[in-house]
Amino acid sequence: MAPTRTRTLTLKPGTAWADAWQRCLAAAPEAFQDDRVLNLWGGTWHRDGRALPAATPVDGTPIAGPPRLDATIAHQAVRASLDQHRGWRHIALPERRARVSATLDALCEHRGLLALLLVWEIGKPWRLAQADVDRAIDGVRWYVDEIDRMAEGRTPLPGPVSNIASWNYPMSVLAHALLVQALAGNAVIAKTPTDGGLACLTLACALAAREGIPVTLVSGSGGELSEALVRSPEIGCVSFVGGRDTGARVATAVADLGKRHILEQEGLNAWGIWNFTDWDALAPLIRKTFDYGKQRCTAYPRFVVQRSSFDAFLSVYLPAVRAIRMGHPLAVEHPSDQLPDLDFGPLINAAKAKELADQVAEAIDRGAVPLHRGDLADGHFLPGQDLSAYAPPVTLLNPPSTSPLHHAEPFGPVDTLVLVDTEAELLAAMNASNGALVATLSCDDPATYARLAPQIRAFKTGHGTPRSRGDRDELFGGFGASWRGAFVGGDLLIRAVTEGPHPERLPGNFPDYHLMPN
């Protein structure tokens, strides 16, 4: 049941899924037909595959589902992409740059629709959905401006780049990668994420295909399509963003084949508090860590706190977490109101919300101490709407070692706090997941930070400030089990999807070596 409230909210006019779908039909009729989305391969949109039902996490109502291909057609799509690649790799760089730039102009034109699709398909609040689109456009424009020096002396890969990515950043991670890989001279293949982002990615790829970008976009189960998208000899590189279990299977396949690869996997990113007193600076950062319900690879779900400072930490942490706003991203009190500025909306689906609730309950049952538990009754919801995909913020002290919340990324609005008394305990707790993408250490003394930070197994460590995936010339990778293959960002992304003078050792985490960037 929806919570009781003193005011009645309504869906902002013009933002319904039906409105977004009609705009898709008008913007790209070649890719959207009737009530279904098409697959793109061989330079043509195909009404193939079995369209599965899907529901939005926002309110549980139906939206367009993925048209899932079988393995046979997926192999045909990969072979067709290789044919495109053989032609595209010989297109002069100025022409490739012009086509990518034209695609970016088209994405700008449809910015609002792309963001609205992200709201409905993956539950992003409006502010964060717009930011996802903007980061994709601005990031690729930077590469358009810098590509001449980056590509000098380098050639495209022998085959197309195959992209398999999670659902949480369809534009700023996946669409961004596709366009930069194409700019570097490669045909590109993407599998639509199983859990969301189908219509947004389809519109983005339709705009790219109109400009002659050799992009393939297909839907299907990872198990059925992996033979084609990972192991096919036509594939020049596999780029993967997702969990460790699936990533490990992909890593085994590419290692056996000696194939170029970029595998970004999850890790438990930790924020350490040690000999620290600047609590006023920390307070606003805590709330920001809950953006998008911590459903991102660079979220901070673990705080490791010096025991003697725990009372001071709680004095800023608890007010910040109690101020978090969650709810329906498109609900307003009056039709003329701006869309709400929420910290997060739903999780990706009801199953994930239940899984997280079960993990929290189990952890408490085994000894974790609940310090804060939010209430859906305080949320920003429409009357009577389905709330099954929503999870309020939760904070647990000392999760038991048997709980997944102790060592794995929850991918939801759950913080775990661990108390420590020594530097050795601090480092052990921050390195609980055998490698992470980012970490932060808050301490007053720069010398202490300089001594401890190199011992934290994260690719990026911030001094009192959160780190992110980064844009433009900022590099990105992971330590330990959080990353396999070539590092990316800045020049490294172009190096990862091109070939340089022989012999070349790319910075990255490979089976036979680990090389950090200079």
Side-chain angles (χ1 to χ4, degrees):
M1 296 293 293
T4 302
R5 58 179 61 257
T6 58
R7 68 190 191 283
T8 300
L9 301 180
T10 185
L11 188 69
K12 186 171 178 63
T15 66
W17 170 255
D19 299 319
W21 184 254
Q22 289 302 314
R23 291 169 64 183
C24 288
L25 293 173
E30 70 271 31
F32 300 88
Q33 291 185 5
D34 303 324
D35 61 347
R36 67 176 289 162
V37 176
L38 308 189
N39 288 296
L40 171 62
W41 57 274
T44 303
W45 292 94
H46 298 265
R47 194 180 173 90
D48 52 14
R50 182 168 60 94
L52 297 184
T56 171
V58 172
D59 61 9
T61 55
I63 59 174
R68 301 180 72 164
L69 298 180
D70 59 27
T72 299
I73 298 180
H75 278 289
Q76 294 177 22
V78 170
R79 287 191 290 270
S81 181
L82 178 61
D83 291 339
Q84 289 180 302
H85 180 84
R86 287 170 172 164
W88 179 255
R89 72 193 311 272
H90 296 295
I91 298 291
L93 180 55
E95 177 63 19
R96 298 200 304 264
R97 185 195 299 112
R99 295 189 189 186
V100 171
S101 294
T103 300
L104 297 176
D105 292 341
L107 293 175
C108 284
E109 181 183 350
H110 295 281
R111 172 180 180 263
L113 176 55
L114 291 164
L116 183 58
L117 293 170
L118 289 180
V119 174
W120 281 111
E121 293 191 290
I122 63 174
K124 279 199 170 179
W126 181 243
R127 170 178 57 86
L128 299 178
Q130 289 178 302
D132 192 20
V133 177
D134 291 343
R135 284 184 63 185
I137 295 170
D138 295 342
V140 178
R141 283 204 194 279
W142 182 84
Y143 278 95
V144 168
D145 293 339
E146 301 287 335
I147 189 63
D148 282 323
R149 65 171 183 80
M150 293 182 179
E152 186 175 358
R154 308 190 65 83
T155 59
L157 297 173
V161 181
S162 177
N163 294 267
I164 303 170
S166 56
W167 43 265
N168 52 344
Y169 284 90
M171 291 299 296
S172 63
V173 173
L174 184 49
H176 176 279
L178 295 175
L179 292 175
V180 174
Q181 294 161 4
L183 180 65
N186 304 289
V188 292
I189 304 170
K191 185 182 91 66
T192 58
T194 302
D195 290 319
L198 168 69
C200 179
L201 279 170
T202 299
L203 177 57
C205 288
L207 300 176
R210 286 179 183 176
E211 303 301 334
I213 305 295
V215 58
T216 295
L217 183 66
V218 294
S219 293
S221 72
E224 189 160 15
L225 301 193
S226 62
E227 186 70 22
L229 300 183
V230 175
R231 301 187 66 92
S232 289
E234 294 92 344
I235 299 296
C237 176
V238 176
S239 177
F240 170 86
V241 180
R244 288 193 179 185
D245 291 342
T246 303
R249 293 192 290 270
V250 174
T252 299
V254 295
D256 291 346
L257 299 169
K259 194 183 294 292
R260 185 76 65 90
H261 57 284
I262 307 163
L263 310 182
E264 175 188 330
Q265 301 168 135
E266 63 189 358
L268 185 61
N269 307 315
W271 193 311
I273 308 291
W274 188 258
N275 291 342
F276 178 73
T277 59
D278 191 5
W279 303 109
D280 289 341
L282 179 65
L285 301 178
I286 290 172
R287 180 173 177 179
K288 189 170 178 58
T289 67
F290 278 88
D291 273 0
Y292 194 33
K294 296 187 183 264
Q295 295 179 102
R296 49 197 173 93
C297 63
T298 54
Y300 286 84
R302 166 67 50 80
F303 285 87
V304 182
V305 185
Q306 189 173 14
R307 190 183 307 272
S308 59
S309 299
F310 189 48
D311 57 339
F313 173 79
L314 283 183
S315 71
V316 296
Y317 177 88
L318 290 176
V321 94
R322 288 168 181 154
I324 288 170
R325 297 188 70 212
M326 63 171 296
H328 192 305
L330 302 172
V332 294
E333 188 170 359
H334 302 289
S336 60
D337 288 349
Q338 296 294 313
L339 290 172
D341 186 10
L342 303 176
D343 296 291
F344 61 91
L347 301 191
I348 187 58
N349 52 47
K352 177 61 183 178
K354 182 181 185 305
E355 174 193 280
L356 204 57
D358 290 345
Q359 289 179 351
V360 168
E362 181 183 51
I364 294 172
D365 187 58
R366 294 182 180 180
V369 178
L371 297 179
H372 173 76
R373 281 191 273 194
D375 192 333
L376 291 182
D378 298 325
H380 181 88
F381 298 111
L382 297 177
Q385 78 163 81
D386 186 317
L387 302 180
S388 58
Y390 291 82
V394 174
T395 305
L396 301 179
L397 175 64
N398 290 335
S401 59
T402 55
S403 169
L405 298 175
H406 176 77
H407 56 79
E409 185 178 13
F411 238 64
V414 175
D415 272 349
T416 56
L417 309 186
V418 175
L419 303 185
V420 295
D421 296 298
T422 67
E423 290 182 356
E425 290 177 334
L426 172 81
L427 294 170
M430 293 189 72
N431 292 330
S433 66
N434 184 27
L437 303 174
V438 297
T440 291
L441 180 59
S442 291
C443 60
D444 293 341
D445 180 27
T448 300
Y449 172 82
R451 178 169 51 82
L452 295 177
Q455 301 177 67
I456 299 171
R457 290 180 56 76
F459 187 81
K460 297 179 180 180
T461 301
H463 187 186
T465 57
R467 301 304 306 272
S468 69
R469 202 174 196 276
D471 296 301
R472 301 176 177 84
D473 58 352
E474 189 171 355
L475 307 182
F476 192 56
F479 273 11
S482 68
W483 195 282
R484 301 173 192 265
F487 295 146
V488 295
D491 290 29
L492 293 189
L493 176 52
I494 299 299
R495 291 177 64 184
V497 296
T498 57
E499 295 187 321
H502 183 78
E504 179 181 50
R505 278 164 48 103
L506 295 174
N509 189 19
F510 294 93
D512 55 343
Y513 75 88
H514 179 92
L515 179 63
M516 289 297 292
N518 294 327

